[in-house]
Amino acid sequence: MTEMIETTTFEHAPLLTDRLRQWAGESAHQRAFTFVDFPEPHSPGVHRSLGWRGLDTRARAVAGHLVRTVRPGDRVALLLPQGLDYAVAFLGCLYAGVIAVPLFTPELPGHDGRLTAVLDDCEPSCLLSDEASRVSVQAFTGGRLPVLAVDALPHVAPATELPRPAPDDVAYLQYTSGSTRSPSGVMVTHANVVANARQAVTAFDIGRGRNTSVGWLPLFHDMGLVLSVAAPVYAGFPSVLLDPVAFLERPVRWLRLLGGYPGTISAAPNFAYDYCVTRADADETAGLRLDRVAALLNGSEPVRPATLERFLHTFGGAGLGAQALCPAYGLAEATVFVTADPRDRPTAAVECDAAALAAGLIEERPGATARLADCGRPVGQDVRIAAPRTGAVLDEGRVGEIQVRGPNIGAGYWKQPERTAETFRDGWLRTGDLGALRQGRLLVTGRLKDLIVVDGRNHYPQDVEETVQSAVDLVRTDRLAAFLVPRGADPLLAPCGDGARDEELVVVAETQRGAAPDGAAVRDAKVAARGAIATRHGLRLAELVLVPAGTVPRTSSGKVARAACRERFLSGALHTEALR
C-alpha cells in the first residue's frame, strides 16, 4: 500500500494586486505595513506606517514608471534595504507585469559575489533602489543599468490603466539561497504566490482584525516575502517589519514586537530561536508579554526539537503557549509553504530508534536519542515520499525523498530547462529533501545532498552537529558543519587506522565569541566530540576543526552552507584559521 497525503485544490483566486485594490477601497486608512527602525542601541523603535490606500497608490506609481521604461516580462531587480519601500517596489512590479527579482543592496556583507552572479543570470532591464542606496548600487553595477529610487517618485497613481498579467505569467524569480549549489532562480507565477498565500492563511486560520504578521526575515527570502508581504496583502491583515540586523543586534526587539500586536504570526529558522535563548538577558526579558503570540513558524532548515524545548523553557514564563511553536517545512520551488503543525495542540517530538532511522525506517521508541519534529500536514497541496533512485512511492514510516504537488509549485528554474525537467517532473516537485510520513504528517530528516553515508547507513549532518554542540561548551550553537571528505584529502586530518573507508567525517565548528582556547582546551574539545559521536552515532570523527566566530560560511538567509564549508576545507582555506 502506498501513501500520499491528498487535499482539496483551492478555487481560482484573484491576482495579489486585485486584493490590494480591494483593501485600498474598503479599508483605505487602516494600517497595512509598518517598518520599525532602531536608530540607537536602546531605542524603543521608530514606527513608520502605510495605510492600504497609501500602499496601493505608491505601488501603482512605481508601476506607472516601469510600464513607460521597460517591457512586460522584463526583469526588474530589487536592490533595497528592508522596509516599506521594498514592499512598494515588489507590488509595483506585480502591477506593471514585469518580473521582479527580490535581492539586496551591495552593503550586505559577504554576498557581493552572489549578487553579481544573480544579476548576470537574470539580466535585468532596470534596478529599483532608494535614494540612500542609489550611489552604492550604481557603483556596484558600474552604471550599466538604470536605477530608479522608489522613494523619490511622486505618490501619484498613473492616470492610464495598467496592464493585467495572466495568472500563469511569471511574477518574480525567487533565487535559492545556494546552501547546496549555485543560486538558481525559481519562476514563481502570479497564481503560485496567490495559492501559497492562501494556503498559509488557511493553515493558521489568519483573519482580518485578529492577526498581525511580525517579521525580521529578509524580504528577498522566500518565507519573508510570503509571510510578511504576500499573505498580508492577500488576506488584508497588517504586517510589521524590522531589519534582520536589528534582530541580530538585539533579538529582544523582535520578542517585544511579538507581544505588541494581537494574534502575532511570525517565522524564523531554527538557529534564530536558539539565538534568542543564548542572548536572553533577564533585565531585558523581564517585561515581555508573549501571550498574544498565535504562531511562530520554525522552518528554512531542519527543526530541532531541543531548540523548541529550550525556547519554550526560556520564554514560557512570559505567557508563550506551547501550541504557538509550529515546526514547518517549505522551499522556494513550492513558493515557500508546504506543511506546518496546527495551533490546536503543542508540538511533540517523535522519538525514533537511531539504528532503524539510519536504515531508512521510522520506528518509534520512547526515550530514544533520535528525535524528529512533526512538521504537520500540507494544506491545499499533496505530499508523498518516494525512493530517491527509483521514484517508487513509499509507505508510511519509510524515509525517502519528499515530493510535492499543488497550485503553489513554481514553473521551473530560470534559463535551466534540463534542471527544470529533472526537478519538476510529471506534475511532482522533487525537493531533494528526505523525510517520512507518520499518520499523515511529515517528518523531515535532512537534505539528500548533505547525507552522510557510512557503511551503507544514513546519518544526518544536523544530528552530528547537535551532538558536537551539546558535548563541547566551546562550540557556538548552530555555527558548525558536518560532512565527509575523501580519506587523506587534507593534512589537517588525523591518521585513520581504518584503511577500508574511502571517506572520513569532519566537523568544522565556530568557537564562542570572545573565546581564546589554548592548545589543551582544543585537544579536550576534540576528545569530547569524538567520544560523543562514537557513542551516539557509532561514527569515527576524523577531525574537529575549531575556527573563530564568523568563519563557517552561511547563505544569505542564514543557513549553514555545508557544501561551501566543505570546499573551503578541501581547498586549504581553513588551515590558517583553525585553532590548534
Side-chain angles (χ1 to χ4, degrees):
M1 175 183 176
T2 60
E3 185 70 25
M4 181 179 75
I5 306 306
E6 297 185 353
T7 54
T8 57
T9 301
F10 289 122
E11 297 177 358
H12 174 71
L15 301 177
L16 208 58
T17 46
D18 293 337
R19 289 290 204 176
L20 180 55
R21 291 299 298 274
Q22 176 184 345
W23 308 131
E26 294 179 4
S27 310
H29 302 296
Q30 287 187 8
R31 179 173 53 87
F33 281 48
T34 298
F35 178 68
V36 185
D37 190 22
F38 296 89
E40 302 293 338
H42 296 284
S43 168
V46 178
H47 293 61
R48 297 182 178 88
S49 297
L50 278 175
W52 288 109
R53 180 175 293 172
L55 178 63
D56 180 67
T57 298
R58 289 198 58 197
R60 289 196 291 134
V62 171
H65 185 90
L66 289 175
V67 297
R68 294 193 301 271
T69 55
V70 298
R71 297 167 299 180
D74 279 1
R75 276 73 59 210
V76 175
L78 281 59
L79 276 67
L80 295 110
Q82 189 97 334
L84 299 176
D85 292 332
Y86 207 112
V88 165
F90 177 73
L91 294 168
C93 289
L94 300 191
Y95 260 131
V98 298
I99 300 175
V101 186
L103 292 171
F104 42 86
T105 63
E107 288 86 358
L108 185 67
H111 295 284
D112 52 342
R114 178 173 182 263
L115 183 57
T116 298
V118 171
L119 290 174
D120 287 345
D121 186 66
C122 72
E123 300 177 290
S125 298
C126 176
L127 307 177
L128 297 183
S129 191
D130 61 5
E131 285 289 2
S133 302
R134 183 207 291 265
V135 173
S136 65
V137 169
Q138 288 177 327
F140 186 83
T141 58
R144 294 178 286 107
L145 295 167
V147 180
L148 172 65
V150 297
D151 57 343
L153 292 175
H155 298 178
V156 180
T160 57
E161 191 70 21
L162 293 170
R164 180 178 176 80
D168 290 337
D169 287 346
V170 177
Y172 60 98
L173 301 181
Q174 181 65 65
Y175 275 83
T176 59
S177 59
S179 58
T180 58
R181 65 171 81 213
S182 299
S184 299
V186 178
M187 296 184 286
V188 180
T189 69
H190 289 269
N192 291 155
V193 68
V194 167
N196 207 229
R198 184 170 180 174
Q199 289 161 346
V201 167
T202 301
F204 298 104
D205 191 27
I206 299 173
R208 300 192 74 203
R210 67 171 184 264
N211 293 106
T212 302
S213 172
V214 174
W216 59 266
L217 286 176
L219 295 183
F220 58 80
H221 182 267
D222 48 13
M223 181 60 84
L225 189 62
V226 171
L227 197 60
S228 290
V229 178
V233 169
Y234 177 83
F237 63 95
S239 177
V240 177
L241 304 166
L242 67 158
D243 195 286
V245 174
F247 165 77
L248 293 172
E249 288 175 343
R250 296 184 66 198
V252 72
R253 292 167 170 166
W254 177 52
L255 298 172
R256 286 173 179 162
L257 288 173
L258 288 174
Y261 298 89
T264 46
I265 308 284
S266 194
N270 192 85
F271 82 86
Y273 293 96
D274 267 327
Y275 187 68
C276 287
V277 171
T278 58
R279 291 290 301 273
D281 179 273
D283 293 335
E284 287 188 327
T285 59
L288 282 179
R289 284 196 56 191
L290 299 177
D291 54 306
R292 305 173 82 185
V293 175
L296 294 178
L297 280 71
N298 184 334
S300 301
E301 58 187 8
V303 180
R304 290 173 173 162
T307 296
L308 300 177
E309 292 160 1
R310 287 190 290 265
F311 191 82
L312 183 61
H313 175 76
T314 303
F315 299 108
L320 179 68
Q323 74 280 0
L325 299 179
C326 302
Y329 171 71
L331 67 167
E333 289 82 350
T335 306
V336 62
F337 175 80
V338 175
T339 71
D341 204 47
R343 295 184 286 117
D344 57 358
R345 63 180 179 85
T347 298
V350 179
E351 297 173 334
C352 307
D353 181 87
L357 184 61
L361 298 172
I362 302 294
E363 293 183 1
E364 294 187 55
R365 183 165 63 83
T369 56
R371 305 172 72 224
L372 300 174
D374 179 342
C375 291
R377 297 178 182 273
V379 177
Q381 51 198 300
D382 306 328
V383 171
R384 70 183 185 185
I385 306 298
R389 292 183 180 178
T390 66
V393 179
L394 300 177
D395 295 339
E396 275 211 352
R398 296 283 303 279
V399 176
E401 184 182 31
I402 301 168
Q403 298 186 352
V404 186
R405 178 177 66 183
N408 53 304
I409 303 303
Y413 296 108
W414 179 253
K415 297 195 304 188
Q416 296 187 45
E418 292 183 359
R419 188 178 168 209
T420 294
E422 175 187 347
T423 306
F424 300 80
R425 193 186 314 164
D426 302 325
W428 287 93
L429 168 67
R430 272 68 173 168
T431 67
D433 292 320
L434 294 172
L437 291 171
R438 168 186 171 270
Q439 300 175 10
R441 306 169 67 80
L442 182 64
L443 305 176
V444 181
T445 58
R447 182 76 180 158
L448 184 59
K449 289 185 175 294
D450 288 339
L451 195 63
I452 295 171
V453 182
V454 177
D455 296 334
R457 303 183 71 79
N458 298 335
H459 302 271
Y460 298 95
Q462 69 270 15
D463 294 339
V464 175
E465 293 156 6
E466 173 72 21
T467 296
V468 172
Q469 67 186 24
S470 299
V472 184
D473 292 337
L474 187 60
V475 169
R476 193 176 175 207
T477 302
D478 291 334
R479 295 296 194 274
L480 63 170
F483 47 82
L484 293 176
V485 298
R487 184 170 178 267
D490 193 278
L492 279 178
L493 292 176
C496 178
D498 185 358
R501 290 182 178 171
D502 295 326
E503 293 184 303
E504 297 178 314
L505 176 64
V506 171
V507 175
V508 177
E510 293 183 7
T511 55
Q512 301 284 357
R513 287 195 180 277
D518 57 18
V522 171
R523 288 191 294 274
D524 289 346
K526 294 183 178 185
V527 169
R530 285 195 176 101
I533 289 175
T535 299
R536 182 169 178 181
H537 306 282
L539 294 173
R540 181 190 184 279
L541 176 64
E543 185 64 26
L544 172 66
V545 183
L546 295 174
V547 294
T551 302
V552 173
R554 300 179 74 82
T555 70
S556 58
S557 60
K559 293 183 287 188
V560 169
R562 294 189 185 92
C565 190
R566 182 176 184 273
E567 290 176 5
R568 291 196 65 195
F569 176 85
L570 291 175
S571 71
L574 295 178
H575 289 196
T576 58
E577 299 176 84
L579 303 176
R580 296 178 175 82

